[in-house]
Amino acid sequence: LYVSSHLCLRPVRHDSRNNKVRTCMQMDPIHLAAAAAPLIVPGADIAWKYFLAGGLCCAASHGGTVPIDVVKTRLQTDPSMRTYNIVSGAALLIEQEGVGVLFG
């Protein structure tokens, strides 16, 4: 039995050889070391790429979903808009309140 002072990041592991589930304490030293390996953090020289990629993805996803959600919420809560669909409701909101209402 191999006991390590490292934190086990994968406490349960399936052993396909004999179809059993092994806990961290039952793993051999090689598998235990792999489970407790430290996370690799990129250096500052490339971290900005991840930051930029995450920001662009977030902006694209929110830029597309927030206007739809605003129109949907207005259709559900405003009794005068109950007969409109999503496209006609968006057109009405833009006509009455301007394009900025879709992003607010």
Side-chain angles (χ1 to χ4, degrees):
L1 183 65
Y2 180 78
V3 179
S4 173
S5 62
H6 298 301
L7 172 68
C8 183
L9 298 177
R10 295 181 204 145
V12 176
R13 185 181 185 109
H14 185 265
D15 188 357
S16 59
R17 288 176 282 157
N18 54 10
N19 202 22
K20 290 184 180 178
V21 175
R22 300 187 305 174
T23 64
C24 193
M25 297 301 286
Q26 297 168 328
M27 288 185 199
D28 54 288
I30 294 172
H31 287 103
L32 185 62
L39 297 174
I40 298 172
V41 179
D45 55 332
I46 62 169
W48 68 270
K49 293 178 184 177
Y50 293 107
F51 179 75
L52 181 64
L56 290 174
C57 290
C58 182
S61 67
H62 282 74
T65 57
V66 168
I68 296 169
D69 190 52
V70 167
V71 175
K72 175 197 64 96
T73 304
R74 289 286 187 96
L75 291 174
Q76 291 174 340
T77 59
D78 189 355
S80 66
M81 293 183 67
R82 295 284 168 114
T83 58
Y84 291 92
N85 61 25
I86 193 100
V87 175
S88 61
L92 180 68
L93 285 175
I94 292 170
E95 180 184 313
Q96 290 179 347
E97 301 178 39
V99 177
V101 72
L102 298 179
F103 297 99

